Amino acid sequence: AFAERRRAEGLPAQSQAWGLWQEASGMTDVLRAPDRDGTLPDGTVPMPTEFALALFDEALRQDDTVLTLARFDVAKLRTRGAPPLLRGLLPAVPAACAPTVRLQDLAPSERAERLLTEVRAAAAELLGHRDGEALPPDRKLQEFGLDSLTSVELRNRLSTLTGLRLPATLVFDHPTPKSLADHLHGALDALAETGT
């Protein structure tokens, strides 16, 4: 209410309601025990500090007076059924982001093509484009509005897609869809060779 009043008077203000931070020890115990993967029963996921700080920076760029800043496991919300308040927030899953076969089961040439399609589709959704065709394979994603927050989210999606542990700097180390897909392809090949 204080923030709304200041805004009505033309003064700067923003109220931020935060989800859990990963490093806030004890908070998850107070609210409810998380699942083995860290997801809470309501579908929220404790945020690593790097992700939360990027989210904070993005929030400050918004003109909204009241914001809720939290991270959700969308797949779990779909599976378990989202609370009524969140149902309208669940995005539709683009066809290209819902693989029907494991990437490891594809022939190398098919996998390379599929990875490029998946990378472009995931990046397009995060950057507000209709589909992956809007993102040329050899153009830097930063040219299309990628920032620290969306780079972390894209890394998370690609990690889920491939089953690989990927560094937070992934998208900045491999800034184009093609270089990202090539890196993931090489990492999956290396994984297959070691049998791990």
Side-chain angles (χ1 to χ4, degrees), residues 12 17 20 22 29-30 35 45 68 73 80 82 107 111 126 133 147 149 154 163-164 182 185 193:
L20 292 176
Q22 206 169 59
D29 297 333
V30 171
D35 290 349
V45 181
T68 298
D73 185 325
R80 295 175 174 177
R111 186 189 311 141
L126 287 169
E133 295 298 316
D147 58 20
L149 177 61
L154 180 56
L164 297 168
D182 289 347
H185 188 258
E193 287 175 11

Side-chain angles (χ1 to χ4, degrees), residues 7-21:
R7 280 294 185 99
E9 295 172 356
L11 299 170
Q14 187 178 75
S15 174
Q16 299 177 353
W18 280 91
L20 292 176
W21 285 41

Side-chain angles (χ1 to χ4, degrees), residues 9-170:
E9 295 172 356
L11 299 170
Q14 187 178 75
S15 174
Q16 299 177 353
W18 280 91
L20 292 176
W21 285 41
Q22 206 169 59
E23 290 77 9
S25 63
M27 287 302 295
T28 55
D29 297 333
V30 171
L31 294 172
R32 284 175 303 276
D35 290 349
R36 294 171 77 184
D37 65 359
T39 307
L40 294 169
D42 62 1
T44 57
V45 181
M47 297 174 282
T49 297
E50 179 184 347
F51 181 91
L53 291 176
L55 191 59
F56 177 72
D57 289 341
E58 183 61 31
L60 292 179
R61 289 192 281 271
Q62 303 303 312
D63 192 41
D64 299 286
T65 304
V66 180
L67 294 170
T68 298
L69 308 172
R71 185 176 178 198
F72 296 93
D73 185 325
V74 174
K76 284 201 172 181
L77 284 174
R78 290 183 194 285
T79 302
R80 295 175 174 177
L85 183 64
L86 300 178
R87 283 182 196 144
L89 301 177
L90 291 176
V93 178
C97 286
T100 56
V101 295
R102 290 183 347 124
L103 290 167
Q104 292 87 338
D105 295 337
L106 297 173
S109 60
E110 290 178 302
R111 186 189 311 141
E113 186 178 325
R114 180 64 175 270
L115 279 167
L116 182 56
T117 299
E118 296 288 348
V119 166
R120 292 173 74 192
E125 183 183 4
L126 287 169
L127 296 172
H129 295 279
R130 189 183 55 187
D131 57 46
E133 295 298 316
L135 304 177
D138 294 313
R139 291 272 301 275
K140 290 185 177 182
L141 291 171
Q142 286 177 299
E143 295 177 32
F144 296 92
L146 183 90
D147 58 20
S148 56
L149 177 61
T150 48
S151 72
V152 171
E153 184 58 34
L154 180 56
R155 183 277 310 263
N156 292 343
R157 291 186 185 203
L158 296 177
S159 182
T160 299
L161 173 72
T162 60
L164 297 168
R165 286 185 64 118
L166 301 169
T169 58
L170 174 75

Side-chain angles (χ1 to χ4, degrees), residues 183-195:
H183 173 74
L184 296 173
H185 188 258
L188 287 171
D189 278 348
L191 194 66
E193 287 175 11
T194 61

